[in-house]
Amino acid sequence: MEKREVLVIGGNRYFGKRLIARLLAAGDRVTVLNRGSSPPPAGVVHLIADRDDEDALREALGPRTFDVVVDQVCYTPRQAAIARRVLAGRTGRYVMTSTVEVYAEVHGEVHAYGDSVAPVRETDVDPLNAAVDLELPWHEPEFLDTHYGEGKRQAESVFAAEPAFPYVAVRVAHVLGGDDDFTGRLTHYADRIRTGEPITVPTVNHPATYIHVEEIADFLFWTVGQDFTGPVNAASHGTLTTRELCEAVAAYAPGGGTAVFQETTEPGEVSPFAFRRFYGMDNSRATRLGFTFGDVRQWLGQAVAETLVPVN
């Protein structure tokens, strides 16, 4: 296979670093661009720039061109607009890591799937039909944190509305696994199961689709070598309830214990992976394109053990 020039924006942790390892193993020439807070692995070209600074981004890239760009850290339409301007004419393909959360909000309102158990398809959120507001306070961390799905959706819309290059938006299911899971979500459950502290869930608690950290790295690596465009869902087969997830945590968590659930009808915070709407994604488009997903129940125990059981 001919070597590819691949730029990865971000990607220094979790499934991003696994993607870089796969690219290097395949013989690709990899350039990593980040703010310099952590060094990339050996064997890559390292560029340092703040992606929100358009001039700095242009200067860091210089005259470089790429076969594929994988953008792991595009969170807002402003960042997408800068990337589109700077990378126009520089890449033959652009892969944006998006999220299942794009299905949660449409024009700022809860998606109509709140009471549905039908898996969402890519066409349920068409970036061409979604409004973009560049004037929202996307630079404010608190605003961005509470509008994560909306930021990703609007970023997708920027690329779809004025495509400067063929683009893909990989809508990633909730990711589990790895001893470097930085989210603390499984640890949240393990701590409460061990101490007997209640786990708060909504009275109507919907299941969700998930994907293993190694599987999403495999999927992104596979996507780099394909030529399809547009949104694509990436999720393992099957769904999990919060109870099933907690049963797996109880089986592997140091100290053991039993999950105690506390239901609430009040708005506000609930435990991680406890959902008031159905977060199930239809993965049939990716399957038709040729990717083979695993089943969530086949790897769940492994994922929990990797995250919670210390390695001696």
Side-chain angles (χ1 to χ4, degrees):
M1 184 176 65
E2 186 176 345
K3 289 185 178 181
R4 299 167 295 199
E5 293 285 350
V6 182
L7 170 66
V8 180
I9 303 176
N12 266 7
R13 63 178 181 175
Y14 211 34
F15 59 84
K17 71 179 185 182
R18 290 167 170 82
L19 167 63
I20 292 170
R22 283 159 172 76
L23 293 168
L24 291 172
D28 293 320
R29 291 182 287 263
V30 181
T31 300
V32 173
L33 185 144
N34 58 30
R35 291 177 297 179
S37 56
S38 57
V44 309
V45 175
H46 187 199
L47 304 179
I48 298 176
D50 182 346
R51 65 160 310 143
D52 292 309
D53 185 331
E54 185 167 346
D55 291 337
L57 185 58
R58 287 185 188 277
E59 183 177 355
L61 289 173
R64 295 175 177 87
T65 60
F66 305 95
D67 298 304
V68 185
V69 173
V70 184
D71 194 341
Q72 293 281 83
V73 289
C74 186
Y75 298 116
T76 75
R78 288 183 186 174
Q79 291 175 334
I82 289 172
R84 185 184 63 192
R85 289 193 295 267
V86 173
L87 292 166
R90 292 176 178 266
T91 184
R93 183 170 173 78
Y94 177 97
V95 179
M96 171 191 165
T97 300
S98 190
T99 174
V100 62
E101 297 290 343
V102 301
Y103 295 110
E105 297 180 15
V106 175
H107 302 298
E109 298 180 358
V110 176
H111 194 284
Y113 279 86
D115 296 324
S116 174
V117 292
V120 287
R121 302 174 302 275
E122 291 86 354
T123 53
D124 289 323
V125 173
D126 183 352
L128 282 173
N129 296 330
V132 172
D133 189 346
L134 297 174
E135 301 308 314
L136 291 172
W138 296 113
H139 61 287
E140 297 179 5
E142 184 176 350
F143 179 85
L144 184 56
D145 184 58
T146 57
H147 293 78
Y148 174 71
E150 179 68 5
K152 287 284 193 180
R153 185 198 60 73
Q154 290 197 24
E156 287 189 28
S157 297
V158 168
F159 293 117
E162 297 181 37
F165 30 67
Y167 90 99
V168 178
V170 178
R171 294 172 177 171
V172 182
H174 303 287
V175 183
L176 296 175
D179 61 2
D180 55 340
D181 180 354
F182 61 92
T183 66
R185 292 174 294 193
L186 291 184
T187 303
H188 168 95
Y189 285 132
D191 290 344
R192 279 156 179 74
I193 289 170
R194 184 179 62 254
T195 62
E197 185 178 350
I199 295 167
T200 304
V201 297
T203 302
V204 180
N205 186 16
H206 290 284
T209 44
Y210 295 83
I211 192 164
H212 191 272
V213 62
E214 300 291 347
E215 187 170 40
I216 186 55
D218 286 340
F219 186 84
L220 288 168
F221 174 72
W222 171 80
T223 300
V224 165
Q226 303 299 306
D227 59 5
F228 66 88
T229 59
V232 62
N233 291 340
S236 296
H237 298 304
T239 61
L240 293 174
T241 64
T242 309
R243 185 174 298 276
E244 288 174 308
L245 198 55
C246 287
E247 288 172 354
V249 170
Y252 287 92
T258 302
V260 177
F261 295 100
Q262 176 178 287
E263 295 185 352
T264 179
T265 58
E266 298 297 320
E269 290 293 322
V270 292
S271 294
F273 304 131
F275 301 114
R276 292 186 170 89
R277 62 173 298 279
F278 181 59
Y279 274 92
M281 290 200 295
D282 183 327
N283 63 12
S284 59
R285 184 184 186 216
T287 300
R288 288 194 307 270
L289 288 166
F291 189 83
T292 301
F293 290 102
D295 187 285
V296 65
R297 287 177 175 78
Q298 293 178 346
W299 56 254
L300 176 60
Q302 171 194 342
V304 172
E306 290 169 349
T307 304
L308 298 180
V309 180
V311 177
N312 294 327

